[in-house]
Amino acid sequence: MSIEINEQEKIFILNTKHSTYMIKADDTGCLRHLYYGPSVPDKDLTFLQAGCDRGFSGNPYEKKLDRGYSFDTIPQEYSCHGTGDHRVYAAEAETEEGSRATDLRYESYRAEKGVYEPEGLPHVRPDEDAAQEETLRILMRDAVTDLTAELIYTVFSEKDVIERAVRLTNDSDRTLFLNKAASVCVDHQYGDFDIIHFHGRHCMERQPERLPVPTGVFSVQSGRGISSHHHNPFVIICDHDAGEDHGSCYGYMLMYSGSHKTEIEKDQTGSVRLVTGVNNDEFRWKLTPGETFQTPAVIMTFSDKGLGKLTRKFHRIIRENVIDRKYLNSERPVLLNSWEACYMEFNDEKMLELADGAKDLGIEMVVMDDGWFGDRDSDNSGLGDWFVNLNKIKCGLPELVRKINDKGLRFGIWMEPEMISEDSDLYRAHPEWALTDPDRKPVMARNQLVLDMTREDVREYLFNCISEILSSANIEYVKWDNNRGLDNLYSNALPEDRQGEVSHRYVLGMYDLLGRVTKAFPDVMIEGCCGGGGRFDAGMLFYCPQIWCSDNTDAINRLKIQRGTAYGYPVSAIGSHVSESPNQLTWRHSPLETRAAVAMSGTFGYELDPSRLTEEEKEEIRQEIREYRIYRKVIQSGRYFRLNIGGADPSRFSAERLPSLDFQAWEFVSDDRSEAFVFVAALSVEANAPFQLIRPDGLDPDMTYHIAGTDVTVSGAALMYNGLRLDMMRGDFPIRRIHLIEHL
Ligand code: DGJ
């Protein structure tokens, strides 16, 4: 049973295949966190929490004589502000009189079959056989304000995942204001851990950083209205010695695409509290009597077998239960995107020329990027005017798409629905539709403003424009871009006491529009994008099966970006293209083979003008696409491994650099382990370098494998335990691809 309940003792146990999570409501109604970790048979671990009198950690009134009992030290499930717990907190509600004290205590529970599916927010979808999942709802109440918090836990037992979310309701007859409403609080007791988080910048997203949890508060956050290039809403807490295949690791992934905050506090007792949710810095949510606020959901998983396993658990739940199931086994098209080929300088003839070039190479889809609509010859104008620019697309969109389809190619288009240029007909007609503080000049970014997605009329306008375009021709893919964050957080449509809701309402509005579009056009695949990877999160993946990973297409930089991204997000979701060499951003030269191998380890496409390729390059690309068609299924749906090379565990970031050669190695293994692809990239080479062994992972030790392109057959055991010796790697950024197939 996934959920076990001891009514008498008010103990709740959530069992996944390999983990146990335990909660208890004690005699004051405090909801204690008892345990999260490897499966244990015990049914009550309260004894581990014997109280201890600590100076300056006060006691609730009913325990005034029991000085060892303090909310400041008890591990809790959903901590509150202002009533004795001085650690980072999950919830704070303010009354009309200005009191911010919040004190949620256990009231009741409900357990049911099935999953939690909040209206209008991304969530983990049920398995096909939904009878597997169970949901526990624990109701807490503040006896003074009648704020209630329903803590929701859905257990995906087979997948080792617990999804958590909270519904906060004003059950009183007076108005309350939520100043903070986090999704999750977990107290890891007395732990000595590392944090791994994923920071970055535009064009260099999701770089892992690993550091010991310090005493005090460490936070990972975005206040940009987007999940951001800078700090991803995904963190790992693990043992100091956790590596790829050993050690305890906990992963917390917020399913949210807006401003977020994760706080990790190591307190006076040595406990480590993690609180994650919507960023409260710019948040104040009015709850009128009867109103409910739903927090975004969090995907939590635990691995006691290291970071590799943790990664694969996230990949599985996202591929199978977050991304729309219809994409689970659908092969993503190899596409040619026009952006780095010609930016906004194109017309219908150029698009047809690109299509001819793409067809000749074996590419399957052509995507017309930015520049086809309104008055859009530069990024200073046109956003909002979603009408085909007939000076550029002279034959019209339906005719252009028909001609491209006639060549045997599919067609995709770029849009940036949430934005508006000052120089646009839309802005001239509706300046009030832009988010702007009426008393200030707006902060500009890429010379554009953000549409007020909290407004229904704005969403209606956008839905109609998008529908019109998508119905006008056989469009099978949309790249949904967004090229700036939110700065001017003021909506003309909301009253003054609801301006603190703008940032979150924006995200809800964006989800609403995406939900409507995906429902109305179920055959159109949407690739998310936000100036590259500024909104790469599980919230977007609920609507978009893939996301453009970065505006940086330099293959060597991409090795780092894609590797960091793949810690939490599946490779089938990572938009990745081969572009020109030298790269237009870094001016670096890299071999076509290396660029292809890196792009293949994502959704694979091209972003260049085929007419600028030599005949030799064209032939190489044809061959790569032919090979990718063989690789595609295993890459997009197989298990992903970061590989250990030369004795350096890839999770120990500092130990990763080797004296003579700098490698990065990764692998995809089919579910039945009969096939694997190993990739090894050398970031620098030296003369007369020592031999290096690469040890594939995840194979069947008892199977015999054939190494494609050779006459060698070898056991899975020898491959995994001894490894393969790499031949001497030479030149700039060489790559090796090793294909292992079961030898029957
Ligand atoms: C940012 C995207 O990441 C690029 O790929 C491209 O679509 C441009 N926007 C277009 O403006």
Side-chain angles (χ1 to χ4, degrees), residues 371-397:
W372 57 267
F373 56 93
D375 181 13
R376 184 75 169 167
D377 287 321
S378 82
D379 53 17
N380 289 321
S381 59
L383 291 170
D385 298 341
W386 297 109
F387 312 105
V388 179
N389 180 333
L390 291 170
N391 293 324
K392 284 176 146 182
I393 311 299
K394 297 185 225 44
C395 65
L397 189 59

Side-chain angles (χ1 to χ4, degrees), residues 265-553:
E265 176 172 8
K266 185 170 186 174
D267 70 10
Q268 58 175 337
T269 70
S271 284
V272 173
R273 170 172 288 179
L274 177 138
V275 172
T276 183
V278 171
N279 190 329
N280 57 311
D281 291 350
E282 58 213 3
F283 176 87
R284 183 173 160 86
W285 194 276
K286 183 176 175 183
L287 269 189
T288 55
E291 272 187 342
T292 294
F293 177 83
Q294 304 184 121
T295 72
V298 173
I299 302 173
M300 317 191 315
T301 189
F302 168 78
S303 155
D304 62 354
K305 300 239 164 9
L307 292 155
K309 202 154 214 163
L310 191 86
T311 286
R312 288 186 289 281
K313 286 176 201 275
F314 274 109
H315 286 195
R316 180 166 179 216
I317 194 84
I318 292 176
R319 285 189 61 247
E320 296 181 5
N321 300 71
V322 175
I323 293 174
D324 191 326
R325 191 175 299 275
K326 68 182 176 229
Y327 295 108
L328 182 58
N329 292 312
S330 78
E331 295 188 341
R332 308 295 166 77
V334 180
L335 59 83
L336 178 89
N337 180 292
S338 65
W339 183 243
E340 287 193 33
C342 49
Y343 296 99
M344 293 184 202
E345 284 168 37
F346 62 82
N347 55 20
D348 47 0
E349 281 157 21
K350 182 68 193 171
M351 285 309 303
L352 290 169
E353 184 198 306
L354 287 180
D356 284 332
K359 181 70 194 165
D360 174 48
L361 297 173
I363 288 170
E364 298 159 347
M365 177 185 273
V366 168
V367 175
M368 180 163 71
D369 209 281
D370 194 354
W372 57 267
F373 56 93
D375 181 13
R376 184 75 169 167
D377 287 321
S378 82
D379 53 17
N380 289 321
S381 59
L383 291 170
D385 298 341
W386 297 109
F387 312 105
V388 179
N389 180 333
L390 291 170
N391 293 324
K392 284 176 146 182
I393 311 299
K394 297 185 225 44
C395 65
L397 189 59
E399 182 63 6
L400 176 69
V401 177
R402 195 184 56 69
K403 285 181 172 161
I404 289 178
N405 286 168
D406 284 350
K407 295 179 196 295
L409 288 161
R410 300 161 71 187
F411 181 83
I413 202 163
W414 176 96
M415 297 187 90
E416 194 178 359
E418 302 152 64
M419 298 290 144
I420 182 166
S421 305
E422 277 184 312
D423 184 2
S424 67
D425 291 343
L426 185 66
Y427 187 79
R428 285 181 276 275
H430 285 293
E432 78 286 5
W433 280 10
L435 284 177
T436 44
D437 184 327
D439 298 328
R440 294 179 193 279
K441 291 281 178 222
V443 176
M444 302 301 288
R446 215 191 190 204
N447 201 16
Q448 64 195 51
L449 293 168
V450 181
L451 276 170
D452 183 353
M453 297 297 290
T454 73
R455 297 177 69 124
E456 218 173 312
D457 48 2
V458 167
R459 300 201 298 271
E460 192 60 23
Y461 167 81
L462 291 172
F463 181 74
N464 290 335
C465 291
I466 296 168
S467 301
E468 197 118 314
I469 294 291
L470 295 186
S471 323
S472 71
N474 182 24
I475 298 172
E476 298 183 67
Y477 159 110
V478 172
K479 180 175 172 191
W480 183 298
D481 204 349
N482 164 15
N483 284 295
R484 67 161 293 175
L486 269 55
D487 281 292
N488 314 295
L489 286 176
Y490 189 92
S491 166
N492 290 295
L494 289 173
E496 81 186 46
D497 58 359
R498 288 204 180 266
Q499 293 301 330
E501 302 174 14
V502 171
S503 182
H504 182 59
R505 280 189 188 274
Y506 176 93
V507 180
L508 296 180
M510 186 261 298
Y511 287 154
D512 174 61
L513 181 63
L514 266 170
R516 277 182 77 186
V517 172
T518 48
K519 196 160 173 210
F521 298 93
D523 299 329
V524 177
M525 179 172 81
I526 302 188
E527 173 156 341
C529 178
C530 176
R535 229 168 28 186
F536 207 119
D537 55 68
M540 291 309 285
L541 288 171
F542 188 75
Y543 304 95
C544 314
Q546 55 193 57
I547 299 176
W548 182 228
C549 184
S550 179
D551 273 347
N552 184 349
T553 57

Side-chain angles (χ1 to χ4, degrees), residues 542-699:
F542 188 75
Y543 304 95
C544 314
Q546 55 193 57
I547 299 176
W548 182 228
C549 184
S550 179
D551 273 347
N552 184 349
T553 57
D554 175 289
I556 309 308
N557 283 177
R558 273 290 187 130
L559 282 170
K560 287 185 173 176
I561 299 168
Q562 293 180 199
R563 197 180 94 139
T565 304
Y567 263 86
Y569 304 101
V571 168
S572 61
I574 297 180
S576 185
H577 299 163
V578 174
S579 62
E580 280 182 4
S581 177
N583 181 269
Q584 296 177 9
L585 266 188
T586 59
W587 301 1
R588 189 206 313 260
H589 291 266
S590 56
L592 192 48
E593 193 188 7
T594 303
R595 283 177 276 147
V598 174
M600 264 176 209
S601 302
T603 59
F604 198 40
Y606 287 79
E607 183 133 350
L608 44 71
D609 185 344
S611 69
R612 297 207 288 261
L613 295 167
T614 64
E615 273 316 310
E616 210 182 354
E617 287 172 324
K618 284 185 189 165
E619 194 38 48
E620 196 177 328
I621 289 178
R622 287 186 201 107
Q623 179 58 24
E624 271 152 7
I625 293 175
R626 275 196 292 272
E627 275 179 34
Y628 175 68
R629 291 215 176 90
I630 306 172
Y631 290 23
R632 174 157 53 188
K633 198 166 173 352
V634 177
I635 291 179
Q636 293 189 354
S637 61
R639 288 176 307 139
Y640 165 83
F641 294 83
R642 289 175 289 271
L643 293 185
N644 176 331
I645 182 162
D649 186 320
S651 320
R652 306 303 318 183
F653 310 130
S654 52
E656 197 180 4
R657 292 180 174 266
L658 301 172
S660 59
L661 271 178
D662 235 348
F663 289 109
Q664 189 166 309
W666 65 102
E667 182 194 20
F668 303 97
V669 182
S670 65
D671 277 345
D672 64 2
R673 300 193 283 179
S674 66
E675 200 173 4
F677 294 97
V678 177
F679 292 74
V680 186
L683 305 181
S684 72
V685 299
E686 274 183 8
N688 199 18
F691 288 126
Q692 294 296 343
L693 283 179
I694 178 82
R695 291 198 185 91
D697 204 341
L699 303 176

